[in-house]
Amino acid sequence: MSDAQRNGREIPQDSYDAVVIGGGAAGLSAALVLGRVCRKVAVVDAGEPRNAPVAHMQGFLSRDGMPPAALLEVGRAEVAQYGVDFIAGKVEQVDRGEAAGFAVHLAGGPVLHARHVVLASGLRDELPDIPGLRERWSRDVLHCPYCHGYEVRGRAFAVLGTHPVSVNQALLVRQLSDDVVYVPGDRPLTDDERERLTARGVRIAAEGSIKRVVSADDQVRGVELEDGAVVPCEVVFVFPQMVPNDGVLDGLGCDRNPAGFLTTDDAGRTSVPGIWAVGNADDPRALVISAAGKGAAAAFALNHDLVDAEVAQAVAERRGS
């Protein structure tokens, strides 16, 4: 489907109750709930889910082990039953509309108008610039023990000390293997961190710059340090820098928390009325199942906000008649 088409037709310049940006679990869940209460909804999806490199999705009750693409295929079919429009393309910018609501600018020129916008575009994982790391990402270079830990349990782990929370990551994955080594890299350990790792049974490699991740025969074999020493391992855990895909909202002035993510309430409302953020777009810890739940919760609250506005308008019109 081209950027300028919706379900095989040209995109009209019409208005929606809600435009959902992102067609992952959070976005589809929000669209499903809104579609079922007969709201006019469009989902704009660039087809770039965060978990695309992953072969199987874990931790989703009744869908554990399902390929992520299969979940989205089923989800889109379910949502489509309720008249939700799907638009393949990227949103370049969201700004305030000429009247109430927002203008959603798509790449290539079409503009959608919406009373509310739900940002469900997730985040991107920025990995340290270490040769050999990206090539094995989501295979045997991993981040989340809840997503992938069970499948690699009992193997030899190396945890790279490239992030402020890397020590905590090593302490966490230790329960999955008796063979865990922490590679400090260029981040010297404090005495407290060293004590905690040792008490937990995590070995500590020599300090020094990490040169590369060593692989052979389609398998991680170790972590090479700058001095040429290789720390043997079968699995590498590394904590990425998580960056929300929320630049399309920059012009609206939404508040952010110290981590750089949009500030939201429990239902996903941002500081700008009518703008919502769900899933990894506002919570980097959200698994697929919790992202779906956040999408549904936002849809419930969004619909109630729409009803309140519609009732207020109807009362005002009645009084004015």
Side-chain angles (χ1 to χ4, degrees):
M1 188 184 298
S2 71
D3 289 351
Q5 289 184 327
R6 178 187 65 199
N7 298 338
R9 306 187 306 277
E10 292 300 311
I11 299 172
Q13 305 296 304
D14 53 4
S15 183
Y16 291 91
D17 292 316
V19 168
V20 179
I21 304 173
L28 290 177
S29 184
L32 177 65
V33 171
L34 292 170
R36 283 183 50 80
V37 290
C38 302
R39 290 298 180 182
K40 189 175 184 182
V41 181
V43 176
V44 182
D45 184 27
E48 299 173 350
R50 179 191 184 192
N51 61 1
V54 179
H56 300 96
M57 176 189 65
Q58 315 295 158
F60 197 129
L61 188 64
S62 82
R63 296 295 182 267
D64 188 63
M66 187 178 193
L71 176 73
L72 299 184
E73 181 179 0
V74 172
R76 286 173 66 93
E78 291 177 349
V79 174
Q81 299 178 83
Y82 301 103
V84 172
D85 290 328
F86 287 92
I87 302 169
K90 289 188 176 183
V91 174
E92 291 186 332
Q93 180 182 343
V94 177
D95 55 31
R96 297 186 184 277
E98 294 181 0
F102 303 92
V104 181
H105 299 262
L106 275 63
V111 178
L112 307 177
H113 300 279
R115 298 168 67 186
H116 289 249
V117 172
V118 180
L119 186 74
S121 51
L123 60 78
R124 60 188 181 275
D125 296 304
E126 295 186 353
L127 298 180
D129 187 18
I130 298 173
L133 201 65
R134 172 60 67 178
E135 294 85 343
R136 306 299 305 178
W137 180 240
S138 295
R139 299 170 68 188
D140 41 22
V141 171
L142 307 172
H143 152 241
C144 178
Y146 301 104
C147 299
H148 311 294
Y150 187 84
E151 285 66 38
V152 296
R153 68 195 185 283
R155 298 168 69 180
F157 295 174
V159 181
L160 306 188
T162 58
H163 193 279
V165 302
S166 294
V167 168
N168 288 336
Q169 186 181 36
L171 297 173
L172 182 60
V173 303
R174 171 61 180 84
Q175 71 196 67
L176 299 170
S177 173
D178 293 330
D179 187 356
V180 180
V181 58
Y182 184 78
V183 185
D186 295 322
R187 300 179 66 90
L189 290 166
T190 66
D191 291 342
D192 178 68
E193 290 172 333
R194 189 175 294 275
E195 182 180 36
R196 293 170 69 208
L197 288 168
T198 301
R200 181 71 162 158
V202 176
R203 305 189 322 278
I204 302 172
E207 294 182 357
S209 298
I210 298 170
K211 183 177 180 180
R212 66 186 178 113
V213 172
V214 180
S215 299
D217 301 322
D218 198 32
Q219 169 66 54
V220 164
R221 300 297 180 184
V223 177
E224 183 177 354
L225 305 181
E226 195 62 44
D227 63 4
V230 176
V231 180
C233 66
E234 299 171 282
V235 177
V236 170
F237 277 90
V238 61
F239 205 95
Q241 185 68 31
M242 300 177 186
V243 181
N245 295 321
D246 59 12
V248 298
L249 301 181
D250 284 350
L252 296 176
C254 299
D255 291 343
R256 296 179 181 275
N257 63 29
F261 283 75
L262 295 168
T263 301
T264 59
D265 67 8
D266 290 342
R269 293 182 183 87
T270 71
S271 61
V272 175
I275 299 293
W276 307 69
V278 297
N280 285 150
D282 85 309
D283 182 2
R285 301 168 300 174
L287 300 176
V288 178
I289 190 168
S290 48
K294 285 174 174 287
F300 297 155
L302 190 160
N303 186 60
H304 280 273
D305 285 0
L306 286 172
V307 170
D308 288 345
E310 290 160 355
V311 170
Q313 180 178 351
V315 169
E317 291 174 352
R318 184 175 185 277
R319 290 174 177 175
S321 60

